Amino acid sequence: MKQFVIPELGENIQSATIVKVLIKPGDVVQQDQSVLELETDKATIEVPSDVSGKVVEVKVNEGDQVEIGQLIFTVDADGAADAAPEEKQETQPAPVVETPAPAETLAAAPSEAPVPAPVIEEQIAAPAPAAPVVNTPAAGPKVIPVEDQPPILQNAAPAAPSVRRLAREIGVDVNQVKGTGPGGRILLDDVKLHSKLLHQQRNEVQHISAEQHQQPLPDFSRYGEVETVAMSNIRQKTAEHLSYAWHTVPHVTQFDKADITQLEEFRKSYAKTAEKFGVKLTVTAILVKIISSAMKTFPQFNTSVDMQNKTIVYKKYFNIGIAVDTEFGLIVPVIKNADRMNIIEISKEINALAEKARNKKVGVADLQGGCFTITNLGGIGGTSFTPIVNSPEVAILGVSKGSIEPVYINGKFEPRLMLPLSLSYDHRIIDGADGIRFLRWVIEALENPMKLIIEG
Ligand code: CAO
């Protein structure tokens, strides 16, 4: 008998809601067949099976909240053999066991791989301590059946038994602790510091959620008819994430306008050529390219602030998130390595990701690893707004509606197409002067794309 448990679903995802159970007792399940549709805080994802056989018992129902590692169904492996004899001979290659890694170090599979969402590197899902990471060439989140799991603690974190004992006693996962001893050895003090940081983080989260709940709502039905609707997972997590960012990041928003008259002329004249590549050239795609270049000139815009360790993390990759408006809520898929793509490639990627987001097909890996976010509301309207930094990123560019305005040039007013931009940034790491320098750089690149060729 083999078990299927909920695999790791991605960074910071502990639980999900079952939208659909795609199997029932008696069904024959093949490896990689989708067996569950889950809604996480970030997206709806189909989860493939890593076991094959005849389903004996299904332990969950649609609408259930499930956690990573939770048992979902059991299969009789011989059942699969009856149904698909060719699979009987197939044995799993011995898994390669690597150093245990925290969820946030999981890397995305190459984007061209034809894999089901979510595209994440496989990790053993059983909630055992020190569960090792297993790399297999197969796609999707994989679970090693409990009985097939390799013995744990191969290549385990280097720590003396006394250190492990302390960690166990105070409820710290020793594999998550950063060792400062010789060769990265984990010391007693490292465990204590880790525990202190966890405690601080917990207090911070509790403080924020307490703040969210401190004001009870009045009874609105006294004033008229009301309807109360449960928040979706995406809405809940958006609310929590934005409250956290608003609470922890000291925001400054800087406004300016770019004269995109020439750019718009070029965009229109290039439309037919862009069509041949199967894309529509939009301001958003051009901005992705410009921002990835601007971040090279202003590296402090490609950082994250770690106040607990008093460090600044400088990223050497350039991944740009695009806020996409969907009927399920705000989703921010990430264009990876935008600096290495041309604008046509970026346009294709925006279209593909926006469509996936709107069809609830976006994978967890599509949403991870962002360095900077662009939110373009200009297709809808608005003259300016104050976007909230998508923490732990440190800056976000808001784009409002471009419109013709009279601009005073060489002694007379001329009609120019002006694009309003709102740059919000984290004032802990970015000073006001840097903020406006960055925004001016972006505006100059919009007004004179040669800047990209020369400086970008
Ligand atoms: N000013 C004027 N017109 C604009 C514009 C702007 N800033 N941005 C886009 N447009 C125009 C485009 O040029 C296009 O017009 P044409 O059809 O005449 O060429 C039209 O609006 C539609 O553009 P688009 O939306 O298809 O393409 P895009 O690449 O500019 O935007 C995306 C893609 C995904 C950013 C957008 O569709 C979207 O979802 N925007 C909303 C983002 C959002 O919700 N942000 C809020 C986050 S905070 O709550």
Side-chain angles (χ1 to χ4, degrees):
M1 197 72 74
K2 289 192 172 177
Q3 298 180 333
F4 175 85
V5 300
I6 297 285
E8 288 289 341
L9 300 170
E11 203 172 305
N12 296 332
I13 299 177
Q14 304 304 333
S15 62
T17 306
I18 297 186
V19 180
K20 267 191 199 146
V21 181
L22 303 170
I23 38 99
K24 57 182 184 318
D27 285 358
V28 174
V29 170
Q30 305 292 348
Q31 190 153 345
D32 289 334
Q33 177 184 333
S34 293
V35 286
L36 283 181
E37 209 176 293
L38 296 180
E39 189 187 55
T40 71
D41 53 318
K42 300 195 169 153
T44 298
I45 50 182
E46 283 188 5
V47 184
S49 175
D50 72 316
V51 293
S52 42
K54 193 171 191 175
V55 178
V56 177
E57 193 182 1
V58 180
K59 303 266 191 192
V60 290
N61 293 307
E62 288 172 12
D64 284 0
Q65 186 82 9
V66 288
E67 308 216 323
I68 308 305
Q70 184 172 332
L71 174 62
I72 301 302
F73 64 86
T74 52
V75 294
D76 175 359
D78 294 338
D82 297 343
E86 71 277 14
E87 289 230 332
K88 195 176 170 186
Q89 314 304 331
E90 215 173 89
T91 49
Q92 289 271 40
V96 181
V97 181
E98 291 183 349
T99 310
E104 55 268 31
T105 64
L106 295 180
S111 57
E112 63 271 21
V115 293
V119 188
I120 56 173
E121 194 172 321
E122 296 82 355
Q123 188 179 36
I124 284 182
V133 172
V134 177
N135 282 331
T136 73
K142 290 288 172 282
V143 189
I144 304 300
V146 174
E147 67 267 37
D148 289 354
Q149 285 180 16
I152 59 171
L153 293 180
Q154 293 177 43
N155 288 336
S162 56
V163 175
R164 290 184 177 283
R165 196 174 321 117
L166 172 73
R168 219 173 21 248
E169 280 168 12
I170 62 175
V172 164
D173 176 358
V174 77
N175 295 296
Q176 306 288 329
V177 179
K178 195 171 154 204
T180 60
R185 227 175 151 65
I186 299 167
L187 309 175
L188 280 173
D189 280 348
D190 296 332
V191 174
K192 287 179 195 163
L193 177 68
H194 188 87
S195 164
K196 196 171 145 200
L197 294 177
L198 282 179
H199 187 66
Q200 278 171 358
Q201 272 170 8
R202 234 170 271 139
N203 278 350
E204 211 170 306
V205 170
Q206 273 165 7
H207 177 65
I208 291 166
S209 46
E211 205 174 58
Q212 280 169 0
H213 294 119
Q214 71 188 8
Q215 297 265 345
L217 291 176
D219 177 7
F220 296 112
S221 65
R222 284 191 299 158
Y223 311 110
E225 191 185 329
V226 293
E227 185 190 357
T228 304
V229 179
M231 275 186 172
S232 68
N233 263 356
I234 292 179
R235 178 56 58 202
Q236 282 175 48
K237 294 298 172 186
T238 302
E240 281 166 18
H241 180 65
L242 290 177
S243 300
Y244 177 80
W246 184 251
H247 187 83
T248 52
V249 174
H251 280 73
V252 176
T253 305
Q254 176 74 59
F255 304 100
D256 209 334
K257 284 178 184 173
D259 182 339
I260 57 164
T261 315
Q262 270 188 328
L263 188 75
E264 187 61 8
E265 278 165 17
F266 171 75
R267 205 176 70 85
K268 282 188 181 144
S269 68
Y270 196 78
K272 283 248 162 347
T273 313
E275 243 173 63
K276 282 189 199 143
F277 288 103
V279 293
K280 197 169 104 184
L281 189 60
T282 64
V283 168
T284 309
I286 296 168
L287 274 169
V288 168
K289 185 71 186 173
I290 292 176
I291 292 291
S292 63
S293 294
M295 285 201 299
K296 288 188 178 169
T297 308
F298 300 91
Q300 66 273 44
F301 281 78
N302 196 8
T303 58
S304 284
V305 183
D306 183 347
M307 289 307 289
Q308 276 151 0
N309 291 311
K310 307 281 184 286
T311 53
I312 301 162
V313 182
Y314 283 84
K315 295 156 204 168
K316 311 289 181 188
Y317 52 87
F318 301 85
N319 297 343
I320 313 289
I322 302 287
V324 177
D325 173 39
T326 78
E327 61 177 297
F328 323 105
L330 172 65
I331 294 187
V332 187
V334 175
I335 297 172
K336 306 278 166 37
N337 300 312
D339 60 316
R340 297 190 211 154
M341 298 163 95
N342 65 32
I343 294 174
I344 294 288
E345 289 166 334
I346 291 172
S347 299
K348 280 188 183 163
E349 190 69 358
I350 293 177
N351 288 350
L353 288 172
E355 196 178 312
K356 272 164 94 179
R358 289 181 179 133
N359 293 329
K360 276 192 153 190
K361 293 284 181 215
V362 74
V364 174
D366 292 329
L367 304 169
Q368 294 176 332
C371 304
F372 186 107
T373 298
I374 296 175
T375 168
N376 181 4
L377 288 172
I380 308 167
T383 53
S384 60
F385 64 111
T386 55
I388 297 178
V389 171
N390 190 10
S391 173
E393 297 167 17
V394 294
I396 180 168
L397 184 72
V399 187
S400 296
K401 187 172 177 57
S403 60
I404 302 283
E405 292 179 15
V407 178
Y408 200 64
I409 302 171
N410 296 332
K412 58 176 180 155
F413 283 103
E414 287 189 19
R416 308 292 294 179
L417 180 60
M418 302 302 288
L419 185 70
L421 299 172
S422 315
L423 176 74
S424 292
Y425 54 87
D426 184 336
H427 209 348
R428 290 175 301 178
I429 177 76
I430 295 165
D431 297 332
D434 293 335
I436 191 60
R437 277 190 203 109
F438 180 90
L439 192 53
R440 284 310 309 169
W441 198 100
V442 170
I443 287 170
E444 280 164 24
L446 281 166
E447 293 179 349
N448 178 10
M450 277 300 283
K451 190 178 176 76
L452 270 190
I453 296 167
I454 297 165
E455 297 176 36

